[in-house]
Amino acid sequence: MDVGLVGLSYVGKTTLFSALTGSAGEVGGAMKAGVGVANIPDPRLDLIARHVPTKKIVPATLRLVDAPGLTPAGAGAESTAGKVLACVREVDALCHVVRCFDPGGQPPAPERDIDAFESELILADLQVVENALPRAERSARSREKKALDRLEVLKKVGPWLEEARPVRSAIAQGALTAQEQAVVRELGLVSAKRVLYVANVGEDDLAGAGAAASAVRDRARADAMESVSLCASLEVELSRLDEPDRAEMLEGLGIAEPALPALARGLFRLLGLQCFYTAGEKEVRAWTIRAGATAPQAAGAIHSDLERGFIRAEVYSVADLEELKSEKAIKEAGRLRVEGKAYAMRDGDVAHFLFNV
Ligand SMILES: Nc1nc2c(ncn2[C@@H]2O[C@H](COP(=O)(O)OP(=O)(O)OP(=O)(O)O)[C@@H](O)[C@H]2O)c(=O)[nH]1
Ligand SMILES: [Mg+2]
């Protein structure tokens, strides 16, 4: 899953990027995006590996793009939106970091900041649509289906954006078919992407109970998006500690867990994703699929050959393993299920795929 860390300037994007990926990042960085990978912590992987002896554990990952800060157009200055947003055209979701801390004499104004950023998203998309329209009109003269579809979508989202509404709200209201949404993705329209709002709180509100974090939460709820609150600078400190020290620091601060698991859960809900697992001597591994994916589609996440040549899947749940302690015991208890092509994977399934190519 690819996620873009976006937001206005100096809100803590790069700080959060460093905390999540463990890479240095460039604080207050120049106009270029950093790219890094975060392993998604998952207690179910450890549980599986306790009962299925294995050489290595491979977690699901998040690929993070740390976008440069966006400066809205001001008196005499041009907006930097086009450049900034070009680096997140291909991501699956946006993590919109909102400043909820006061660096000194600058009280947070999350609603104003969210509105400012949202306007820039919409303007950037409007620009894309206006640039693409003349070309789309020319190619539509060929009457080729693809060209006609593209023109149709551009004509549909243009007025929507002109009314200062993000494309994602058109999708939410069912104004675009699945096929039209695919065209929107191809166009790289950024206001179409779903958003996880990150309230970056100061050390004085680690619980995220203050007015600023609440405003971010309310906004996310009103838009049917997701939100988390975290303190990016504290997360950097946490990420540098070994496990026992980290646990101690969390406890001392009264925080339940580091930010990454909550952030990952938010993204999974936002995008309608779930995990399944494969377990063997070589590795125990987590795979990310769409909720509702069928067994062959899940197999396809591992390799296209497994989807093409899918015969059946042998499936049990992590809960079965926790209860019965081994695959052998699961089999003996008659709990190893044999599932066919129509099976919809459930969250927390452990699967072996049988295939033939
Ligand atoms: N108090 C406080 N300061 C923070 C926090 N997160 C970031 N900062 C500070 O805010 C400043 C900007 O942080 P960056 O992480 O570079 O912000 P950015 O959003 O990447 O900035 P640009 O890339 O320039 O847009 C730095 O001085 C950070 O130390 C936080 O959670 N609390
Ligand atoms: Mg930065």
Side-chain angles (χ1 to χ4, degrees):
M1 183 187 357
D2 288 6
V3 177
L5 286 173
V6 295
L8 299 181
S9 292
Y10 258 59
V11 295
K13 298 178 297 295
T14 301
T15 306
L16 179 60
F17 175 83
S18 313
L20 297 177
T21 62
S23 57
E26 219 181 299
V27 174
M31 289 294 280
K32 73 183 210 293
V35 178
V37 173
N39 289 329
I40 303 174
D42 184 346
R44 291 192 293 202
L45 280 171
D46 302 315
L47 190 148
I48 297 168
R50 259 204 305 285
H51 301 302
V52 180
T54 191
K55 287 208 188 79
K56 79 176 176 209
I57 296 181
V58 186
T61 55
L62 267 183
R63 191 168 161 274
L64 291 158
V65 179
D66 175 29
L70 194 152
T71 318
E78 251 182 70
S79 160
T80 57
K83 253 189 224 153
V84 167
L85 297 171
C87 55
V88 292
R89 295 230 175 272
E90 314 217 319
V91 299
D92 301 307
L94 300 179
C95 248
H96 179 173
V97 183
V98 184
R99 184 174 64 85
C100 292
F101 61 89
D102 182 350
Q106 284 170 281
E111 281 140 324
R112 180 201 65 194
D113 288 357
I114 291 174
D115 284 340
F117 187 79
E118 186 88 336
S119 303
E120 295 291 332
L121 282 182
I122 291 167
L123 283 175
D125 279 357
L126 203 50
Q127 195 71 58
V128 170
V129 170
E130 279 168 5
N131 290 344
L133 253 178
R135 206 166 353 116
E137 268 162 354
R138 273 197 304 278
S139 28
R141 285 190 211 126
S142 69
R143 313 306 298 165
E144 193 217 338
K145 169 133 178 37
K146 213 168 164 201
L148 289 169
D149 286 350
R150 195 174 167 97
L151 182 61
E152 181 74 24
V153 168
L154 288 169
K155 282 188 172 161
K156 218 165 179 177
V157 298
W160 199 278
L161 292 162
E162 270 157 26
E163 285 168 30
R165 292 186 291 174
V167 176
R168 87 179 85 85
S169 68
I171 294 170
Q173 288 177 26
L176 295 170
T177 65
Q179 197 206 340
E180 288 170 335
Q181 289 176 42
V183 176
V184 162
R185 266 195 300 280
E186 243 170 65
L187 289 164
L189 297 179
V190 280
S191 79
K193 296 182 193 295
R194 296 180 69 76
V195 181
L196 172 81
Y197 290 94
V198 174
N200 188 13
V201 295
E203 305 214 359
D204 54 347
D205 183 27
L206 293 179
S214 302
V216 174
R217 207 156 32 238
D218 291 348
R219 176 63 175 258
R221 203 171 292 146
D223 286 355
M225 296 292 136
E226 292 284 336
S227 67
V228 292
S229 75
L230 53 83
C231 174
S233 48
L234 182 74
E235 291 296 329
V236 171
E237 285 179 47
L238 282 168
S239 72
R240 291 189 183 132
L241 297 175
D242 291 335
E243 189 44 46
D245 291 340
R246 184 177 330 166
E248 190 180 319
M249 182 168 169
L250 284 170
E251 200 187 326
L253 293 165
I255 312 178
E257 57 177 4
L260 179 55
L263 194 108
R265 285 197 299 274
L267 286 167
F268 271 60
R269 279 196 303 273
L270 185 73
L271 298 176
L273 301 174
Q274 66 184 31
C275 273
F276 77 92
Y277 304 89
T278 49
E281 213 175 280
K282 216 176 95 212
E283 63 183 24
V284 166
R285 182 161 181 162
W287 303 87
T288 307
I289 50 171
R290 303 219 156 269
T294 61
Q297 286 167 340
I302 301 172
H303 197 285
S304 55
D305 281 354
L306 269 69
E307 180 167 7
R308 226 163 8 99
F310 180 91
I311 301 171
R312 62 178 184 273
E314 293 176 352
V315 184
Y316 58 90
S317 70
V318 174
D320 289 334
L321 189 61
E322 185 170 25
E323 184 190 329
L324 297 167
K325 317 280 188 236
S326 75
E327 291 191 347
K328 188 163 167 278
I330 288 170
K331 204 176 263 177
E332 282 165 8
R335 300 256 282 272
L336 184 75
R337 292 175 276 125
V338 175
E339 305 286 2
K341 282 188 177 165
Y343 176 67
M345 299 294 288
R346 297 183 205 147
D347 190 39
D349 276 345
V350 185
H352 294 293
F353 296 106
L354 286 91
F355 70 107
N356 182 12
V357 282

